[in-house]
Amino acid sequence: MTASLKFLVLRTSWLLSLPFFILVLPQALYVKKNTLRLLEAKGPRKGSINGDGCPIRILHVGESTVAGVGVTQLKNGFTAHLAASINQLSNRPVKWQVFGVNGIRLNELLMRLQQQPLDECDIAVVTMGVNDTTKLTSLKKWRQQIHLTVKRLSSVSQGPIIFTQVPFMEKFPALPAPLKYLLGLRAQLLDMELQRACRQYDNVHYVLSAPNIEPQFMAIDGYHPSEHGYQEWAQSISPSILEHHGK
């Protein structure tokens, strides 16, 4: 099945599923009310790792996973593990910077990025999509905001801009059926739109990054990765990120 046909099938399936949202609304409200709310991780939002040669500077922006929800300290979170993995693969020094906000959508992140002074970087990584899935951001707005995010990050990145895969939410332990299947379908649509947008640029890349969502890799809320989950996720995408950095 071609990518265009797959997108058409997913979009048709989504439109046909819309009436079912009335049936799952009570389930969605129950999940929102009863899911454990974890705080953003504490600690410095910048860090460095020693190595040989010129440092690789990483800017990581995004939602709750970038903000370290699921661990208590950012040094144990996604970005720090990503920096450590890139350091191990390249043996070069790595400097990392985090700009993550819990519960944020891409349009809200973009507004904050436009107001926030950012350090120059060699690699900009964007991890978004869960909140745009649950809050039903339209595909048109999602697509527009991706392009605006690329424009903003191009002003600070001296190298590639990397978008990580939108997590497929049907696997989240905290989400019951049938709600998780509807959100999973929506997440796949946003993910395919993200891939299409990235292909329009030479220096913007989509990286497959499906985190391991088995219970042993999840925090106690069943919604965010644990430290082990962040480490596994970071190690799974760092080779692709380094490959794009070297092009």
Side-chain angles (χ1 to χ4, degrees), residues 60-63 65-66 78 125-129 162-165 233:
H60 194 180
V61 304
E63 53 193 357
T65 49
V66 181
F78 189 15
V125 182
V126 184
T127 300
M128 289 294 299
I162 307 291
F163 284 84
T164 61
Q165 179 178 347
W233 188 3

Side-chain angles (χ1 to χ4, degrees), residues 23-40:
L23 300 177
V24 301
L25 181 59
Q27 191 178 55
L29 294 174
Y30 176 84
V31 170
K32 183 176 181 180
K33 180 180 179 180
N34 292 280
T35 298
L36 181 64
R37 305 290 178 182
L38 300 180
L39 300 177
E40 294 183 4

Side-chain angles (χ1 to χ4, degrees), residues 61 104-111 113-114 126 128-129 131-133 135-153 161 163 186 190 193-194 197-198 201 204:
V61 304
I104 204 167
R105 287 188 287 180
L106 188 54
N107 69 319
E108 298 162 326
L109 174 69
L110 182 60
M111 287 190 290
L113 289 175
Q114 290 169 337
V126 184
M128 289 294 299
N131 294 301
D132 286 282
T133 297
K135 297 175 183 178
L136 301 180
T137 298
S138 72
L139 294 179
K140 180 180 179 180
K141 289 184 178 179
W142 172 248
R143 179 171 58 251
Q144 291 172 341
Q145 290 152 14
I146 292 168
H147 292 303
L148 291 172
T149 301
V150 169
K151 182 178 180 180
R152 173 66 181 101
L153 293 178
I161 298 170
F163 284 84
R186 186 65 186 175
L190 293 187
E193 194 65 62
L194 174 60
C198 289
Y201 301 89
V204 178

Side-chain angles (χ1 to χ4, degrees), residues 44-62:
R45 291 182 169 256
K46 296 181 181 181
S48 62
I49 305 172
N50 294 329
D52 299 322
C54 297
I56 299 174
R57 302 166 298 173
I58 300 171
L59 169 65
H60 194 180
V61 304

Side-chain angles (χ1 to χ4, degrees), residues 12 16 18-19 28 61 67 75 85 88-89 130 134 143 154 158 173 175 185 196 198 200 219 224 226 235 238 247:
T12 302
L16 292 174
L18 288 178
V61 304
K75 65 181 181 181
S85 184
Q88 291 169 3
L89 290 171
V130 169
T134 59
R143 179 171 58 251
S154 294
Q158 305 303 306
L175 296 177
L185 178 59
R196 293 168 71 175
C198 289
Q200 298 180 34
H224 294 91
S226 63
Q235 290 174 345
S238 53
K247 289 182 177 179

